């Protein structure tokens, strides 16, 4: 059986075996099988994690989860979550996880309460997947949308990260909800989500320019007559600016800024300077000397160890924010947001993570949630060999870095130079190339 | 100013009074195997102005120095600490007084800048006999202090014995300097290891009252289980020419458990080295009275090059897999991320309860302590060394009732861990017996290799700029193609 060709549609993944294709089709026909299996998938991971934690000195649970739950315990005792060292998040996270601090005396119930956060993160995964499907369904039928949402919903990496208790899943659902709200023209909701996400993890601020740029009159009020069509002359700059300032844009800016500042002022009033220090200022003062995927890492270790007096020499890392912010908040949104908002957001996130001064594997989740929205039109799926080559390159460069990192961290070999450094530069190169392809696909 | 010189032989060894020659200037006798302890006591007014001014401003100041060279101790002089320079300190009413400059001058320290920068705070809510601050740094020798003490105590015109006696401090295995406002006296106690030496003692200065004892432990039948007995000869120079025999007993806080241990890092150490303790026996000290409860503990002073993670040491399953029971004390507020070169406090103290296996056989067993290295400054070889002192290992036995150790002339307190236990605790020490005779382990720490670092800034910059340029070119491509498409659309419309 061959699929009808010439439709111009890229083939969805996971349909290579013709014998299984009918089964696959029934799987995606209705939502229940997919979401049920995604839920069971996570439940199995969760239960396995509980078993490993109870029986092995090597823990399944992420160290961050212990930080969150310790902070929640402090909150439950009427103290500040910042009593827990290395708690660098909004207090809202500790509040959300308050049930994890609940102790009943019954061992099984206590374990269940303690796992509340993981369940919450796993449910966030599912909701993010459901929103993904809804966004995808705007340009394709529901079964096909579900097929692409599977990349997120049945992704073992995603399921592992959230069931180990990492909060990135919450970010995934926030970003997807933000995108969905914007595409639905629900400006108030979008503003609330944008303000809250930036309060939660800062980086989603990069989406603000793309969303604002995308929200032009044509999209926000398509039935009204277009004022620019009255004259063929290019309008003056002042007129252009006036045209740019539309009610929906003002509404989004106002609501998101209000949400963001209200939350911050409230948190500051409750928890004082530690809130500002740990949640925001820490990112300004941190040294970022520990090895990670970022291309700047070796240079940062080097310069952090030099006395301040020798800072006369030029330091590249002080300008690191420039390429990162130019790409992710100016160039990419300006050029691509109006062509495809989801792909623009993916490219912005990819640029932000790639050019960041710190880069660890949990940051990859930030763009992974947006990936299924881009793949249907991507040259990686249209040309499978090309896609596979890109994936292999990405994995190999990361593997090379991990191998060098293992030698350093566990064998004690000084691989900072040149091994680890070259591997991080190579990984950076691969990421830039992939980013270039994503952008090129929007022509 | 008073001085007390004590030679302590092992139980059963003794010396005939007739073998000793005593006169107003000193004592001479045969060569014996013994430990020697010299204790000088100063009134505040007898001290030089600089030192007096400092001590008048502090509440408690206790220096405990221990040699990194393994040494044999003899009862009752058994108290042990990790090797290096320890300071236990309580400031007076004027908290701005800084003992660091004088201590740095006296001992040749290199990391003591001020209490607020370099010291850690100790819990004072547990037991009242604790000081409020702690400081530590590795210090392999007393060379600087011997020099400092000579310039202070041997003014021109002193007998040559003054200079030579203080010079011999470089061979000492322990040195204590103790001051508190209650006694208003400064005590300088130095201890030389158990070794063959001639029984000779000379005056530091003719004006000092000097008492000399030649003692050894004894076990008369009348002894209570928590007491130790001491017998031997005592004399005061200038008062008598024949030493008089003596016999007395007292409860002692520090005892010998007659077990031993070694500590070494498990290879490969990486950035998360594990310190393994090999302990000769899992059984509590046999001599300990039966009504006491005994728990094996390890007391660590870890320089800032590495640290224990108290969160990691919180999980019972993880701890028992390492033969540990629980963390009993850990310096609060240890930064778990900062590199060594921006950390100003000295490091961290850790009191761990160990979990010996339950077997009744006296087999050797091991316990592992997971530690984490900080990033150290880059070097020209790509490696740096981190020196980690041996811990003090002891069985802490607590009697339900009993004594608080009054009347022990050899009492040694303010040793760090004693402030973390109740006052009735007896410490039965395990003897550290390193294969190489050094009470310090060295970890090879991988760091950035400066020899290869010349091009890092330039190449990193070039790669980032190239990556940036590539993405910008692709964006320009989109803009240009978009313009063309727009043009085509317009043409179509026309």
């Amino acid at each position: 059986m061959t699929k009808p060709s010439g439709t111009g549609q890229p083939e969805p993944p996971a349909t290579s075996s013709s014998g299984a294709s009918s089964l696959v089709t029934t799987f995606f026909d209705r939502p229940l099988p997919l979401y049920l299996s995604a839920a069971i998938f996570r439940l199995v991971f969760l239960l396995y994690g509980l078993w490993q934690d109870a029986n092995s000195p090597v823990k399944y649970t992420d160290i961050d989860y212990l930080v969150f739950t310790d902070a929640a315990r402090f909150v439950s005792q009427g103290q500040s979550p910042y009593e827990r060292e290395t708690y660098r998040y909004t207090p809202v996270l500790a509040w959300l996880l308050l049930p994890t601090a609940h102790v009943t005396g019954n061992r099984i119930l206590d374990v269940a309460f303690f796992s509340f956060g993981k369940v919450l993160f796993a449910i966030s995964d599912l909701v993010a997947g459901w929103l993904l499907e809804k966004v995808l369904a705007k340009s394709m039928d529901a079964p096909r949308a579900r097929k692409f949402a599977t990349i997120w919903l049945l992704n073992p990496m995603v399921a592992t990260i959230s069931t180990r208790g990492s909060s990135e899943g919450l970010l995934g659902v926030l970003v997807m909800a933000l995108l969905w709200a914007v595409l639905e023209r629900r400006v108030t909701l979008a503003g609330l989500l944008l303000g809250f996400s930036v309060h939660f993890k800062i980086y989603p601020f990069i989406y603000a320019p793309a969303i604002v740029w995308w929200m032009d009159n044509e999209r926000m009020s398509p039935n009204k007559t277009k004022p620019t069509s009255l004259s063929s002359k290019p309008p003056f700059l002042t007129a252009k600016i006036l045209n740019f300032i539309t009610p929906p844009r003002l509404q989004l800016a106002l609501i998101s800024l209000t949400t963001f500042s209200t939350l911050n002022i409230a948190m500051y009033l409750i928890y004082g300077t530690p809130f500002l220090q740990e949640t925001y200022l820490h990112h300004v003062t941190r040294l970022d000397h520990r090895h990670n995927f970022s291309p700047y890492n070796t240079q940062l270790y080097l310069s952090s160890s030099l006395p301040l007096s020798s800072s006369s020499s030029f330091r590249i890392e002080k300008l690191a924010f420039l390429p990162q912010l130019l790409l992710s908040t100016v160039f990419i949104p300006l050029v691509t947001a109006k062509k495809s908002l989801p792909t623009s957001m993916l490219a912005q996130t990819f640029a932000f993570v790639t050019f960041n001064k710190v880069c660890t594997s949990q940051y990859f989740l930030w763009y992974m949630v947006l990936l299924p929205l881009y793949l249907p039109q991507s040259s990686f799926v249209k040309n499978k060999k090309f896609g596979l080559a890109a994936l292999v390159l990405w994995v190999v460069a990361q593997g090379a870095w991990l191998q060098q990192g293992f030698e350093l961290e566990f064998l004690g070999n000084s691989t900072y130079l040149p091994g680890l450094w070259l591997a991080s530069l190579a990984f950076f190169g691969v990421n830039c190339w992939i980013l270039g392809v994503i952008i090129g696909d929007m022509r | 100013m008073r001085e007390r010189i004590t030679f302590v032989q092992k139980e059963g060894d003794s010396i005939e009074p007739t073998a000793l020659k005593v006169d107003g200037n000193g004592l001479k006798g045969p060569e014996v195997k013994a430990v020697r302890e010299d204790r000088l006591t100063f009134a505040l007014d007898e001290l030089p102005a600089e030192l007096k001014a400092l001590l008048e401003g502090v509440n408690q100041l206790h220096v405990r120095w221990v040699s990194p060279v393994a040494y044999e101790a003899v009862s009752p002089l058994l108290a042990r600490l990790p090797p290096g320079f320890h300071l236990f300190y309580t400031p007076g009413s004027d908290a701005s007084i800084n003992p660091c400059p004088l201590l740095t001058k006296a001992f040749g320290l290199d990391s003591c800048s001020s209490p607020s920068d370099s010291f850690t705070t100790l819990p004072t809510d547990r037991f009242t006999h604790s000081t409020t601050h702690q400081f530590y740094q590795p210090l392999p020798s007393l060379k600087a202090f011997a020099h400092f003490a000579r310039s202070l105590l041997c003014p021109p015109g002193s007998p040559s014995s003054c200079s030579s006696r203080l010079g011999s401090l470089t061979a000492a295995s322990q040195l204590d300097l103790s001051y508190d406002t209650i006694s208003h006296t400064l005590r300088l106690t130095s201890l030389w290891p158990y070794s063959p030496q001639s029984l000779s003692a000379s005056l530091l200065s003719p004006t000092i009252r000097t008492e000399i004892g030649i003692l050894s432990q004894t076990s008369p039948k009348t002894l209570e289980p928590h007491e130790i007995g001491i017998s031997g000869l005592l004399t005061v120079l200038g008062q008598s020419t024949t030493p008089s025999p003596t016999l007395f007993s007292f409860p002692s806080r520090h005892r010998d458990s007659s077990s031993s241990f070694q500590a070494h890092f498990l290879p490969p150490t990486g950035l998360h080295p594990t310190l393994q303790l090999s302990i000769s026996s899992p059984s509590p000290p046999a001599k300990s009275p039966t009504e006491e409860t005994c728990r094996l503990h390890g007391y660590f002073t870890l320089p800032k090059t590495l640290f224990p993670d108290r969160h990691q040491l919180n999980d019972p399953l993880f701890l028992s897999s390492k033969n540990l029971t629980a963390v009993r004390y850990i310096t609060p507020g240890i930064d778990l991320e900062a590199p060594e070169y921006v950390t100003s406090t000295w490091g961290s103290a850790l009191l761990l309860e160990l979990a010996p296996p339950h077997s009744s056989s006296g087999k050797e067993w091991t316990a592992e302590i997971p530690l984490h290295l900080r990033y150290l400054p880059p070097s020209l070889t790509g490696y740096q060394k981190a020196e980690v002192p041996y811990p003090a290992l002891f069985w802490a036995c607590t009697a339900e009732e009993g004594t608080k150790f009054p009347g022990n002339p050899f009492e040694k307190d303010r040793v760090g861990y004693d402030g973390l236990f109740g006052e009735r605790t007896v410490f039965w020490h395990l003897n550290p017996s390193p294969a190489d005779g050094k009470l310090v382990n060295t970890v090879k720490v991988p760091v950035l290799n400066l020899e290869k670092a010349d091009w890092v800034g330039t190449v990193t910059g070039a790669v980032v700029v190239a990556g940036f340029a590539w993405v910008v070119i692709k964006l320009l491509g989109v803009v240009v193609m978009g313009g063309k498409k727009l043009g085509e659309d317009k043409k179509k419309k026309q």
Side-chain angles (χ1 to χ4, degrees):
Chain A
M1 268 170 66
T2 48
K3 296 207 120 229
S5 57
T7 54
Q9 295 276 17
E11 286 189 32
T15 56
S16 51
S17 154
S18 55
S21 77
S22 62
L23 221 140
V24 168
T25 317
T26 27
F27 183 81
F28 291 113
D29 262 351
R30 285 172 302 119
L32 185 70
L34 173 61
Y35 290 96
L36 193 64
S37 35
I40 292 170
F41 191 49
R42 281 163 178 75
L43 189 67
V44 169
F45 274 68
L46 187 76
L47 293 176
Y48 166 76
L50 291 179
W51 178 84
Q52 185 178 323
D53 282 356
N55 291 287
S56 164
V58 182
K59 300 300 168 193
Y60 178 81
T61 299
D62 196 283
I63 292 169
D64 284 348
Y65 191 67
L66 303 178
V67 177
F68 307 154
T69 50
D70 282 352
R73 202 166 305 119
F74 278 117
V75 171
S76 75
Q77 292 159 359
Q79 287 171 279
S80 159
Y82 301 103
E83 292 290 316
R84 174 54 161 88
E85 57 203 321
T86 72
Y87 184 78
R88 306 254 158 74
Y89 312 87
T90 164
V92 175
L93 182 59
W95 297 352
L96 277 176
L97 299 190
L98 268 177
T100 61
H102 192 71
V103 178
T104 59
N106 177 317
R107 219 181 124 195
I108 293 170
L109 266 180
D110 283 351
V111 170
F113 270 115
F114 187 71
S115 306
F116 171 80
K118 297 178 183 180
V119 175
L120 182 73
F121 300 151
I123 291 173
S124 306
D125 275 1
L126 297 184
V127 177
W130 176 71
L131 288 164
L132 254 173
E133 184 200 320
K134 297 210 30 158
V135 172
L136 280 163
K138 288 177 186 294
S139 56
M140 58 182 77
D141 60 46
R144 200 171 132 79
R146 281 194 277 276
K147 274 177 199 167
F148 279 101
T150 307
I151 298 173
W152 173 262
L153 281 167
L154 292 183
N155 188 325
M157 182 175 163
V158 176
T160 312
I161 287 179
S162 55
T163 52
R164 288 187 66 205
S166 173
S167 66
E168 308 303 331
L170 277 181
L171 253 303
V173 76
L174 283 173
V175 170
M176 280 320 296
L178 170 65
L179 175 60
W180 175 81
V182 172
L183 294 178
E184 290 282 313
R185 275 82 172 167
R186 300 195 179 189
V187 180
T188 309
L189 181 62
L192 288 169
L193 284 165
L194 180 61
F196 181 69
S197 333
V198 179
H199 167 75
F200 205 93
K201 201 92 188 188
I202 310 175
Y203 90 87
F205 79 92
I206 61 172
Y207 302 134
I211 292 168
V212 168
W213 188 233
W214 180 88
M215 280 181 152
D216 50 23
N217 271 328
E218 277 177 61
R219 285 193 178 81
M220 298 312 285
S221 45
N223 300 327
K224 286 181 190 165
T225 50
K226 295 164 197 167
T228 44
S229 63
L230 291 175
S231 78
S232 55
K233 277 185 194 169
F236 290 114
L237 188 65
T238 44
K240 266 190 172 175
I241 291 171
L242 280 177
N243 272 339
F244 178 79
I245 302 171
T246 62
R249 281 174 172 148
L250 278 176
Q251 191 187 347
L252 181 85
L254 199 72
I255 291 174
S256 58
L257 279 175
T258 312
T259 311
F260 178 69
S261 3
T262 309
L263 282 168
N264 285 337
I265 291 168
M267 298 307 157
Y268 179 73
L269 288 179
I270 302 174
Y271 297 113
T273 329
F275 158 69
L276 282 185
Q277 175 57 42
E278 299 296 331
T279 324
Y280 298 118
L281 299 179
H282 165 73
H283 297 283
V284 182
T285 54
R286 61 193 284 181
L287 289 171
D288 298 325
H289 63 290
R290 284 188 169 270
H291 57 286
N292 61 70
F293 291 117
S294 168
Y296 297 108
N297 176 251
T298 310
Q299 175 61 24
L300 284 169
Y301 174 22
L302 190 62
S303 57
S304 76
S305 69
L306 299 173
L308 283 173
S309 55
S310 66
S311 62
S312 55
S313 59
F314 173 69
R315 286 184 174 182
I316 169 102
E317 74 277 5
K318 288 199 171 154
L319 296 173
F321 69 94
L322 213 62
Q324 181 190 28
L325 292 186
L326 275 178
L327 285 180
S328 60
T329 67
V330 184
F331 294 170
I332 295 175
L334 269 182
V335 175
T336 65
K338 291 197 180 189
K339 292 181 185 291
S340 162
L341 184 59
T343 311
S344 170
M345 285 167 66
L346 169 71
Q348 288 171 266
T349 321
F350 209 93
F352 188 87
V353 172
T354 302
F355 285 82
N356 201 19
K357 286 203 313 192
V358 200
C359 182
T360 62
S361 50
Q362 61 178 6
Y363 291 15
F364 302 158
L365 223 61
W366 295 358
Y367 55 73
M368 214 166 272
V369 69
L370 294 158
L371 199 61
L373 299 173
Y374 152 74
L375 282 180
Q377 309 81 282
S378 77
S379 38
F380 294 124
V381 167
K382 281 177 188 155
N383 181 348
K384 290 217 173 96
K385 275 185 188 163
F386 182 67
L388 194 68
L391 184 65
V392 167
L393 266 178
W394 189 75
V395 170
V396 165
Q398 214 180 123
W401 187 95
L402 288 170
Q403 192 277 332
Q404 292 292 301
F406 176 82
E407 278 207 24
L408 169 70
E409 186 128 21
F410 296 103
L411 304 182
N413 297 333
S414 178
T415 55
Y416 294 106
L417 283 172
L420 207 59
W421 178 57
L422 290 180
S424 72
L425 292 184
F427 186 55
F428 172 78
V430 170
N431 278 322
C432 283
W433 173 70
I434 292 175
L435 179 59
V437 173
I438 295 174
I439 290 167
D441 277 348
M442 278 185 279
R443 278 193 294 202
Chain B
M1 207 178 331
R2 286 175 286 134
E3 188 172 32
R4 188 185 84 185
I5 299 170
T6 316
F7 296 92
V8 184
Q9 296 174 278
K10 280 198 174 164
E11 185 161 5
D13 290 352
S14 63
I15 188 132
E16 287 301 316
T18 49
L20 300 173
K21 231 176 85 181
V22 184
D23 62 28
N25 288 323
L27 172 142
K28 277 201 170 66
E31 192 175 272
V32 295
K33 259 191 123 178
V35 162
R36 172 171 172 156
E37 187 204 66
D38 287 6
R39 174 176 290 182
L40 268 168
T41 309
F42 303 88
L44 265 191
D45 292 334
E46 296 165 335
L47 293 169
E50 191 184 3
L51 189 52
K52 187 183 167 201
L54 171 68
L55 293 180
E56 276 175 339
V58 307
N59 187 293
Q60 291 196 59
L61 187 149
H62 305 277
V63 170
R64 301 286 179 261
W65 178 83
V66 178
S67 166
V69 180
Y71 57 92
E72 193 179 344
V74 170
S75 178
L77 301 165
L78 287 169
R80 284 192 182 266
L81 280 100
F85 174 93
H86 304 258
L87 174 70
F88 300 98
Y89 177 73
T90 303
S93 50
D94 180 4
S96 71
I97 283 182
N98 183 2
C100 278
L102 189 59
L103 289 170
T104 299
K105 193 165 91 182
F107 286 91
L109 306 178
D110 57 24
S111 59
C112 188
S113 64
S114 73
S116 57
D117 281 348
S118 320
F119 296 7
T120 53
T121 50
L122 286 168
T124 45
D125 51 336
R126 281 204 200 181
F127 301 108
T128 50
H129 54 279
S130 172
T131 58
T132 57
H133 290 79
Q134 178 174 20
F135 173 79
Y136 167 84
Q137 83 154 70
L139 186 71
S141 115
L142 281 182
K143 225 180 233 171
F145 183 74
H147 183 77
F148 176 79
R150 254 197 306 238
S151 69
L152 219 68
L153 297 174
C154 307
S158 312
S160 64
S161 58
C162 181
S163 177
S164 70
R165 275 194 55 194
L166 291 173
S168 70
L169 277 175
T170 51
S173 49
Q174 287 190 22
L175 181 116
D176 296 357
L177 207 56
S178 293
Y179 173 80
D180 62 63
T181 41
I182 296 166
S183 70
H184 261 282
T185 56
L186 178 71
R187 256 179 14 206
L188 171 65
T189 311
S190 39
L191 185 77
W192 283 266
Y194 186 69
S195 61
Q197 54 186 303
S198 64
L199 288 174
S200 74
S202 51
L203 283 175
L204 268 183
S205 138
T207 57
I208 299 180
R209 179 187 187 271
T210 305
E211 183 187 19
I212 300 176
I214 298 147
L215 309 170
S216 64
Q217 195 179 331
T218 178
S219 309
K221 287 199 174 97
T222 54
L223 211 60
E224 300 273 337
H226 61 273
E227 287 184 327
I228 63 165
I230 292 289
S231 68
L233 304 167
L234 286 180
T235 185
V236 176
L237 292 186
Q239 285 186 8
S240 72
T241 51
T242 45
S244 44
T246 181
L247 176 69
F248 55 101
S249 65
F250 50 83
S252 180
R253 193 192 299 271
H254 297 282
R255 309 286 295 265
D256 181 12
S257 81
S258 69
S259 303
S260 65
F261 76 99
Q262 281 187 23
H264 75 282
F265 282 101
L266 292 175
T269 45
L271 294 178
H272 309 279
T274 297
L275 187 68
Q276 187 182 58
L277 306 175
S278 309
I279 300 159
S280 66
S281 159
S283 319
K287 283 188 205 160
S288 147
T290 45
E291 70 270 21
E292 290 183 345
T293 50
C294 295
R295 297 269 185 274
L296 182 59
H297 288 79
Y299 180 73
F300 302 77
T301 46
L302 300 163
K304 62 185 173 186
T305 46
L306 77 182
F307 62 90
D309 179 353
R310 68 186 177 94
H311 303 293
Q312 182 188 28
L313 296 172
N314 217 354
D315 174 54
L317 256 179
F318 178 79
L319 285 168
S320 72
S321 76
K322 308 279 178 202
N323 278 341
L324 306 174
T325 303
V327 171
R328 294 298 176 215
Y329 174 74
I330 189 164
T331 300
I334 307 169
D335 193 310
L336 304 177
E337 294 157 333
E340 182 266 347
Y341 43 84
V342 300
T343 308
S344 59
T345 45
W346 65 268
S348 50
L350 172 68
L351 179 67
L352 269 175
E353 185 182 326
L354 311 186
H358 289 297
S359 73
S360 53
S361 63
K363 258 193 184 166
E364 185 178 272
W365 62 284
T366 61
E368 276 106 44
I369 293 92
L371 299 168
H372 307 275
L373 284 165
R374 290 187 193 283
Y375 270 47
L376 302 187
S379 79
L380 289 171
T381 58
Y383 295 94
Q384 296 260 27
K385 278 182 190 170
E387 302 222 306
V388 184
Y390 258 56
L393 250 60
F394 48 82
W395 289 88
C397 302
T398 315
E400 292 298 316
E401 308 161 46
T403 168
K404 282 190 179 179
F405 313 104
N408 177 354
F410 300 101
E411 166 77 339
K412 176 156 171 166
D413 61 358
R414 308 292 192 270
V415 288
Y417 48 87
D418 57 346
L420 304 170
F421 289 92
E423 292 199 354
R424 292 202 171 94
T425 310
V426 179
F427 304 103
W428 297 78
H429 290 272
L430 278 74
N431 187 37
S433 51
D436 61 353
K438 279 190 74 185
L439 296 174
V440 172
N441 279 296
T442 306
V443 193
K444 191 176 168 193
V445 186
V447 297
L448 199 144
N449 189 335
L450 275 179
E451 288 248 282
K452 303 178 187 169
D454 291 351
W455 294 93
V456 166
T458 321
V459 175
T460 303
V463 168
V464 170
V465 168
F468 178 73
W470 160 255
V471 177
V472 170
I473 288 169
K474 293 298 271 187
L475 282 164
L476 284 175
V478 176
V479 173
V480 170
M481 286 295 284
K484 274 186 189 167
K485 267 188 192 167
L486 208 70
E488 281 166 15
D489 288 353
K490 272 184 185 171
K491 271 181 196 168
K492 276 180 191 170
K493 273 180 189 171
Q494 283 168 353

